[in-house]
């Protein structure tokens, strides 16, 4: 009897220990293929038609390694918060109430991923390999000084950015919701990618409703620094 008891305890012990195995043993690509690829596109290209944009269930991740800061990914994948208050495509989530457009809150969904710490590390490692080889790197130095008031004026008055994006300035939040919330853009996004996304939105997403606006390198750099400082 004693022998049988012992082996049961050993088996139970192994089952208990299995999830605590080192992150290196987890295959991030396999985890993503199994748990995430039903909603997210890991191979591209982005939709080339408006129909494709309307049907996209979740943001494209095939250039995640160029877009995100790894520490943000690791933390967020364990407890996602809402980034797009009107959903991935705002037109899918609008209802008309008393002659006014409103967001149907029930149809706006945060990412359902709730990974364990080891899984989040492994999936983040995989996502960071998905780089866009054509993106210029080392363009924006986030340590560089910039004029915050001037950048705020550009973002809110001279250019239409604030109409679609929320930002935080001196603890005050403001802005529209048809684009992603940028109030913690600096924690989430790689500064070079912020620059590249402003320079040519349609390169990343041919049918996006974010306009491509001609401006000097200095102005685009200032916008990127302004957003990269928002954490
Ligand atoms: C049922 C569909 C669904 C599944 C499954 C899903 N996601 Fe998401 N994910 C979303 C949606 C919707 C958003 C946008 C949420 C927002 O903007 O707040 C999102 C956002 C994200 C983002 C941020 C993207 C960005 O550009 O802001 C990452 C990273 C992400 N998901 C990773 C994952 C990973 C990794 C998995 C698998 C472990 C996963 N998701 C599973 C629907 C899904
Ligand atoms: C008409 C609406 C609109 C305007 C105006 C607009 N954007 Fe966007 N922006 C978007 C949309 C839509 C996305 C990407 C949507 C997605 O990933 O789900 C985006 C993405 C971004 C991103 C990447 C954010 C992320 O989390 O994926 C940055 C940075 C950005 N915009 C900055 C700007 C700046 C700076 C301006 C002004 C020069 C601007 N936007 C003007 C709609 C807009």
């Amino acid at each position: 009897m004693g022998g049988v008891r012992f082996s049961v305890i050993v088996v139970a012990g192994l089952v208990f220990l299995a999830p605590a195995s080192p992150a290196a043993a987890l295959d991030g690509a396999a985890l993503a293929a199994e748990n995430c690829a039903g909603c997210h596109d890991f191979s591209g290209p982005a939709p080339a038609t408006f129909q494709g944009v309307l049907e996209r269930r979740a943001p494209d991740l095939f250039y995640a390694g160029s877009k995100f800061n790894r520490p943000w990914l690791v933390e967020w994948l364990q407890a996602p918060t809402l980034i797009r208050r009107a959903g991935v495509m705002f037109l899918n989530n609008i209802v008309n109430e008393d002659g006014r457009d409103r967001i149907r809150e029930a149809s706006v969904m945060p990412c359902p991923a709730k990974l364990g710490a080891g899984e989040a590390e492994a999936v983040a490692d995989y996502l960071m390999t998905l780089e866009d080889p054509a993106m210029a790197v080392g363009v924006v130095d986030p340590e560089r000084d910039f004029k915050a008031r001037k950048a705020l004026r550009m973002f809110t008055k001279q250019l239409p950015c604030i109409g679609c994006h929320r930002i935080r300035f001196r603890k005050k939040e403001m802005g529209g919701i048809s684009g992603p919330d940028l109030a913690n853009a600096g924690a989430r996004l790689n500064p070079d990618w912020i620059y590249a996304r402003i320079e040519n939105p349609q390169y990343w997403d041919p049918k996006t409703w974010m306009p491509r606006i001609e401006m000097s390198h200095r102005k685009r750099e200032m916008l990127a620094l302004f957003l990269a400082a928002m954490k």
Side-chain angles (χ1 to χ4, degrees), residues 50-65:
F50 289 119
Q51 190 61 31
V53 169
L54 287 167
E55 288 168 2
R56 178 164 46 197
R57 301 186 64 191
D60 291 333
L61 294 178
F62 60 86
Y63 47 85

Side-chain angles (χ1 to χ4, degrees), residues 188-205:
R188 274 179 79 224
L189 305 171
N190 171 355
D192 286 331
W193 187 81
I194 296 178
Y195 182 98
R197 185 64 163 80
I198 299 169
E199 183 174 36
N200 190 351
Q202 285 69 29
Y203 171 79
W204 302 96
D205 194 6

Side-chain angles (χ1 to χ4, degrees), residues 59 67 83-84 88 155 159-161 164-165 178-182 188-189 193-194 197-198 205 208-211 213 215 223 227:
K67 173 169 181 172
I83 299 164
R84 294 163 183 76
V88 175
F155 196 94
L159 300 169
C161 322
C164 302
H165 294 289
S178 76
D181 191 329
L182 297 176
R188 274 179 79 224
L189 305 171
W193 187 81
I194 296 178
R197 185 64 163 80
I198 299 169
D205 194 6
T208 183
W209 54 102
M210 173 161 158
I213 301 172
M215 66 184 97
L223 286 173
L227 294 173

Side-chain angles (χ1 to χ4, degrees), residues 6-36:
F6 182 66
S7 66
V8 168
I9 289 165
V10 168
V11 169
L14 283 176
V15 169
F16 179 72
L17 284 175
S21 60
L26 292 170
D27 181 344
L31 277 170
E34 198 171 316
N35 302 299
C36 325

Side-chain angles (χ1 to χ4, degrees), residues 154 158-160 198-202 211-220 223:
M154 273 171 68
Q158 291 156 359
L159 300 169
I198 299 169
E199 183 174 36
N200 190 351
Q202 285 69 29
R212 179 175 184 173
I213 301 172
E214 292 300 331
M215 66 184 97
S216 67
H217 162 72
R218 281 292 300 139
K219 286 192 171 169
R220 196 154 46 235
L223 286 173

Side-chain angles (χ1 to χ4, degrees), residues 31-32 34-40 42 57-61 63-64 67-68 72-73 76-77 80-85 87-88 108-115 123-124 127 180 188-189 193:
L31 277 170
E34 198 171 316
N35 302 299
C36 325
C39 293
H40 291 283
F42 292 98
R57 301 186 64 191
D60 291 333
L61 294 178
Y63 47 85
K67 173 169 181 172
F68 298 108
W72 177 84
L73 276 177
W76 187 85
L77 287 171
T81 49
L82 195 64
I83 299 164
R84 294 163 183 76
R85 290 174 193 226
V88 175
V108 174
M109 187 185 76
C111 180
K114 283 205 173 36
L115 301 182
V123 170
L127 289 176
R188 274 179 79 224
L189 305 171
W193 187 81

